[in-house]
């Protein structure tokens, strides 16, 4: 592949950064162009005619810079790679796999092939199985071993098998079943499962064991603990079939565990963990919000897929979002990105995006096995506001680092309490934060307020901090599906331009391998002598204290 550094557009962008990018004033850009907002904002219409507005106008760009960014995407053949992904080609080169999570939300049932096989019917069959099962749990026809209805669902997984379902069930809590609660266990720290099980009774609890291979160490450890807890109360292994379900493809291991393979929900190897929320991994979501709402969630993502696939780059919303990352990361040398939802339901959304972004693009080797000599990946972080405004927003406003920020708000609240007073306060902060980050506060403005001279520098704000404002009508299942798919494709665009494989995660493996070795040492008496001095000292001290 061609290094992005050798592309004409990359060199043009470097020249633009030197000539005007690093001194670009968004405030002045608005003064000189009254149509700036309309030029740099795009409205997305979902399948149900709901709207999401993406406003890029407060970013450090003008038409010339944006044109060069678009040209960069064209020269990097991002459209070609996108088409290959949608065609089911093996774009995950290091693992020789297709990257086909888009097929999981193919609710229009168009033909989508991997290795010559149309997977649309297979995907739909799994979804129908999920519908039947989730309906039976929700309506009470699926009963525990004593005949009680299921009241608690415990999803045991890790990584994408946990972060996605946790985030979506929290974000869509408004749509939850009136009596079924969902819980999530991911940490191998025994505290996580012990505290979770305190809220459950064996006769009314359903466990979903989420592991494609059914060999994931942390998940299996928690699953065994859950099974032992269950059997300590029940004393009959035959009852496991009513209380344990597998989200897996390994029928042998599932059966060995005691789960009826009829209650196994599979997904293919072209579904990456961080893209699996659309698959059988979403069963907890189906049970919690109902299959009808889960279907809308899929359709919202499919609508963004269609937009991403069929819209010219100039108006392609995920393309523009990804190109802004390149502009800031590679030219402005901004190493971080903040995503701040003004929505308490979406409090786990930034954590979900952390895996999506940093596991995908935290790479330093190109697809043709060469080490990069340019920046890739960004450190993504975030928390729900307004609370976050009282913590790290200080750094965003007055710190020495440039931190591009996405703000997300729904115009309509699910909880319009006090005559919608809370939502209006929330919205006022959403608008004010973006505006104040752009405008800042000059020395003259501070002095005009009668501020003591020694305090003037402390009360000045540089401004010109870039923000993207995402305004939805309401956070519905469809809207949430669209937002997740938007960030998936933003991540794709970034990785495609950097020339890296966004779909493997070898960096996750090394620590796991070493942990297996050390676990055996921890289970053996005596000091260890096979590590560096620091690790060795820590292990031996742990063994002495444990």
């Amino acid at each position: 592949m061609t290094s992005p550094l050798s592309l004409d557009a990359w060199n043009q962008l470097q020249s633009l950064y030197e000539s005007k990018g690093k001194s670009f004033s968004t405030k002045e850009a608005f003064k000189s162009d009254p149509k700036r907002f309309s030029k740099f904002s795009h409205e997305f219409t979902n399948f149900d005619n709901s709207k999401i507005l993406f406003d890029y106008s407060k970013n450090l760009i003008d038409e010339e810079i944006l044109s060069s960014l678009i040209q960069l995407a064209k020269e990097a053949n991002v459209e070609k790679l996108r088409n290959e992904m949608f065609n089911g080609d093996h774009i995950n080169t290091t693992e020789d796999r297709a990257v086909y999570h888009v097929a999981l939300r193919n609710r229009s049932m168009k033909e989508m092939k991997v290795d010559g096989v149309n997977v649309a019917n297979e995907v739909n069959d799994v979804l129908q199985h999920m519908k039947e099962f989730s309906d039976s749990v929700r309506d009470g026809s699926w009963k525990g071993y004593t005949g009680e209805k299921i009241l608690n669902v415990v999803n045991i997984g890790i990584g994408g098998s946990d972060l996605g379902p946790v985030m979506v069930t929290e974000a869509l809590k408004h749509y939850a079943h009136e009596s079924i609660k969902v819980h999530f266990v991911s940490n191998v720290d025994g505290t996580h499962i012990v505290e979770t099980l305190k809220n459950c009774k064996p006769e009314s609890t359903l466990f979903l064991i989420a592991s494609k291979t059914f060999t994931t160490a942390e998940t299996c450890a928690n699953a065994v603990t859950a099974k032992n807890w269950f059997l300590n109360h029940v004393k009959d292994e035959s009852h496991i079939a009513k209380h344990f379900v597998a989200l897996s493809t390994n029928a042998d291991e599932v059966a060995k565990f005691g789960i009826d393979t009829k209650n196994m929900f599979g997904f293919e190897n072209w579904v990456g963990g961080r893209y699996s929320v659309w698959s059988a991994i979403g069963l907890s979501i189906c049970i919690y919000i109902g299959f009808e709402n889960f279907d809308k969630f899929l359709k919202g993502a499919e609508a963004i897929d269609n937009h991403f696939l069929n819209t010219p780059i100039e108006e392609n919303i995920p393309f523009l979002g990804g190109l802004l990352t390149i502009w800031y990361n590679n030219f402005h040398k901004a190493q971080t990105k903040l995503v701040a939802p003004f929505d308490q339901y979406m409090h786990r959304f930034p954590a979900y995006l952390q895996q999506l972004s940093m596991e995908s693009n935290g790479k330093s080797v190109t697809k043709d096995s060469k080490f990069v000599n340019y920046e890739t990946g960004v450190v993504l972080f975030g928390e729900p506001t307004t609370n976050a405004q009282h913590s790290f927003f200080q750094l965003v406003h007055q710190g020495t680092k440039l931190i591009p920020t996405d703000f997300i708000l729904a115009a309509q609240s699910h909880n319009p309490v006090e005559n919608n007073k809370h939502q209006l306060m929330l919205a006022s902060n959403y608008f004010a934060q973006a505006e104040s980050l752009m405008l800042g506060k000059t020395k003259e403005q501070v002095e005009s307020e009668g501020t003591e001279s020694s305090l003037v520098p402390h009360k000045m704000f540089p401004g010109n901090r870039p923000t993207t404002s995402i305004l939805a009508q309401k956070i519905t299942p469809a809207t949430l599906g669209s937002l997740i798919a938007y960030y998936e494709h933003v991540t794709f665009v970034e990785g495609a331009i950097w020339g890296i494989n966004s779909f493997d995660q070898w960096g996750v493996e090394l620590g796991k391998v070493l942990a297996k070795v050390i676990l055996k040492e921890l289970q053996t008496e005596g000091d260890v002598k096979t590590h560096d001095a620091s690790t060795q000292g820590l292990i031996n001290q742990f063994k002495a204290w444990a």
Side-chain angles (χ1 to χ4, degrees):
M1 59 157 282
T2 303
S3 167
L5 299 184
S6 65
L7 298 176
D8 290 341
W10 187 283
N11 295 317
Q12 173 66 17
L13 283 163
Q14 188 61 52
S15 296
L16 285 171
Y17 172 74
E18 295 296 337
S19 62
K20 63 178 176 180
K22 60 185 177 182
S23 59
F24 188 87
S25 169
T26 314
K27 182 165 59 174
E28 293 303 315
F30 272 104
K31 286 181 182 179
S32 62
D33 185 359
K35 295 182 178 180
R36 180 174 173 84
F37 172 71
S38 61
K39 285 180 181 177
F40 296 104
S41 61
H42 298 271
E43 185 175 272
F44 170 74
T45 302
N46 219 323
F47 77 93
D48 59 358
N49 289 318
S50 61
K51 313 284 187 184
I52 308 174
L53 178 63
F54 294 81
D55 174 21
Y56 300 113
S57 63
K58 290 188 179 75
N59 282 283
L60 308 178
I61 55 171
D62 60 14
E63 289 173 285
E64 185 180 18
I65 293 169
L66 182 57
S67 177
S68 293
L69 286 167
I70 290 167
Q71 184 59 32
L72 176 65
K74 292 178 178 179
E75 291 180 12
N77 293 316
V78 180
E79 292 164 297
K80 178 177 180 291
L81 188 64
R82 172 201 62 190
N83 295 343
E84 290 171 350
M85 178 175 71
F86 278 86
N87 288 337
D89 296 348
H90 288 211
I91 66 169
N92 179 349
T93 52
T94 60
E95 298 177 302
D96 193 22
R97 292 177 182 171
V99 176
Y100 224 31
H101 48 277
V102 292
L104 298 172
R105 55 246 193 169
N106 174 27
R107 303 310 293 139
S108 57
M109 291 295 291
K110 60 180 175 287
E111 185 177 78
M112 299 188 77
K113 291 185 175 181
V114 175
D115 299 326
V117 178
N118 180 19
V119 301
N121 289 330
E122 175 193 343
V123 169
N124 195 56
D125 287 347
V126 173
L127 287 171
Q128 290 309 305
H129 188 194
M130 293 168 66
K131 180 183 187 305
E132 292 166 7
F133 183 81
S134 60
D135 284 351
S136 70
V137 175
R138 287 171 61 82
D139 66 22
S141 57
W142 180 280
K143 293 180 172 58
Y145 73 99
T146 64
E148 286 195 38
K149 294 179 181 180
I150 298 299
L151 297 177
N152 288 284
V153 176
V154 180
N155 187 94
I156 298 178
I158 199 166
S161 299
D162 173 79
L163 287 165
V166 169
M167 181 271 292
V168 175
T169 52
E170 285 295 305
L172 299 180
K173 187 176 285 187
H174 176 78
Y175 300 88
H177 190 278
E178 62 273 9
S179 60
I180 295 175
K181 296 180 180 179
V182 293
H183 313 272
F184 296 88
V185 175
S186 58
N187 200 334
V188 77
D189 182 347
T191 299
H192 202 180
I193 192 161
V194 167
E195 289 296 333
T196 300
L197 294 177
K198 285 179 180 179
N199 301 308
C200 302
K201 295 194 304 179
E203 55 269 29
S204 58
T205 299
L206 176 69
F207 293 94
L208 310 181
I209 313 302
S211 172
K212 184 188 294 187
T213 62
F214 223 74
T215 58
T216 308
E218 299 93 336
T219 299
C220 289
N222 282 321
V224 169
T225 299
K227 184 170 85 167
N228 290 339
W229 171 84
F230 180 76
L231 291 175
N232 283 339
H233 289 83
V234 175
K235 314 296 185 186
D236 186 344
E237 291 198 9
S238 67
H239 294 319
I240 289 175
K242 277 291 184 183
H243 292 268
F244 284 79
V245 167
L247 314 180
S248 178
T249 56
N250 191 337
D252 291 341
E253 289 297 323
V254 168
K256 190 185 300 183
F257 187 88
I259 295 175
D260 187 340
T261 53
K262 292 178 182 178
N263 300 325
M264 188 174 83
F265 299 79
F267 46 101
E268 296 299 325
N269 67 5
W270 39 259
V271 181
R274 56 193 172 278
Y275 300 93
S276 65
V277 70
W278 323 100
S279 71
I281 293 298
L283 184 59
S284 58
I285 303 169
C286 283
I287 295 171
Y288 195 53
I289 68 172
F291 185 81
E292 182 180 346
N293 283 319
F294 187 74
D295 192 49
K296 292 176 181 176
F297 173 66
L298 298 177
K299 288 178 177 176
E302 182 185 31
I304 282 286
D305 291 342
N306 292 333
H307 171 88
F308 182 57
L309 182 61
N310 299 311
T311 306
I313 297 178
E314 290 79 3
E315 300 172 357
N316 195 305
I317 297 169
F319 259 99
L320 298 176
L323 289 170
L324 284 172
T325 302
I326 302 297
W327 178 232
Y328 294 125
N329 184 69
N330 294 98
F331 298 95
H332 286 268
K333 306 305 179 186
Q335 296 184 327
T336 62
K337 179 176 182 176
L338 167 62
V339 178
F342 282 74
D343 189 308
Q344 186 59 32
Y345 280 136
M346 294 184 71
H347 69 105
R348 294 297 293 165
F349 193 61
Y352 175 81
L353 295 184
Q354 284 178 338
Q355 185 196 23
L356 172 62
S357 176
M358 294 195 282
E359 191 168 90
S360 295
N361 290 339
K363 313 289 170 60
S364 57
V365 177
T366 62
K367 293 174 80 171
D368 57 354
S369 304
K370 295 179 181 176
F371 286 96
V372 300
N373 56 349
Y374 47 88
E375 293 286 334
T376 65
V378 293
V379 178
L380 191 149
F381 71 105
E383 284 287 331
T385 44
T386 56
N387 192 50
Q389 292 172 196
H390 295 265
S391 57
F392 54 77
F393 270 49
Q394 171 64 42
L395 178 68
V396 182
H397 276 282
Q398 288 186 305
T400 59
K401 295 171 173 58
L402 181 70
I403 303 176
T405 300
D406 288 0
F407 289 136
I408 304 171
L409 174 73
Q412 301 169 33
S413 172
H414 287 295
N415 301 291
V417 294
E418 302 291 335
N419 294 318
N420 213 34
K421 178 182 177 182
H422 286 260
Q423 185 67 6
L424 296 180
M425 289 180 66
L426 185 71
S428 69
N429 280 275
Y430 167 83
F431 298 119
Q433 287 294 331
E435 186 176 46
S436 60
L437 281 166
M438 179 186 73
L439 296 179
K441 198 169 187 180
T442 65
K443 179 181 179 182
E444 291 73 23
Q445 288 174 310
V446 176
E447 289 177 336
S448 70
E449 297 171 348
T451 304
E452 184 181 332
S453 59
S454 63
L455 292 179
V456 169
H458 299 276
K459 293 191 175 185
M460 290 169 55
F461 292 78
N464 216 38
R465 305 292 170 104
T467 59
T468 295
S469 295
I470 301 173
L471 179 63
Q473 286 181 292
K474 199 169 191 175
I475 301 299
T476 64
T479 301
L480 182 65
S482 296
L483 288 173
I484 297 170
Y486 163 75
Y487 279 104
E488 285 181 352
H489 296 321
V490 165
T491 303
F492 173 91
V493 171
E494 296 164 0
I497 290 175
W498 287 322
I500 57 178
N501 181 5
S502 299
F503 305 105
D504 60 13
Q505 54 280 331
W506 301 106
V508 177
E509 301 302 320
L510 179 59
K512 289 183 177 181
V513 172
L514 294 177
K516 290 180 181 178
V517 174
I518 293 173
L519 178 58
K520 292 180 180 178
E521 295 174 335
L522 292 175
Q523 294 169 335
T524 304
E525 291 187 7
D527 288 350
V528 300
K529 301 177 181 179
T530 54
H531 299 274
D532 64 89
S534 171
T535 306
Q536 194 165 284
L538 288 167
I539 291 173
N540 291 332
Q541 188 63 72
F542 173 86
K543 293 179 77 170
W545 284 349

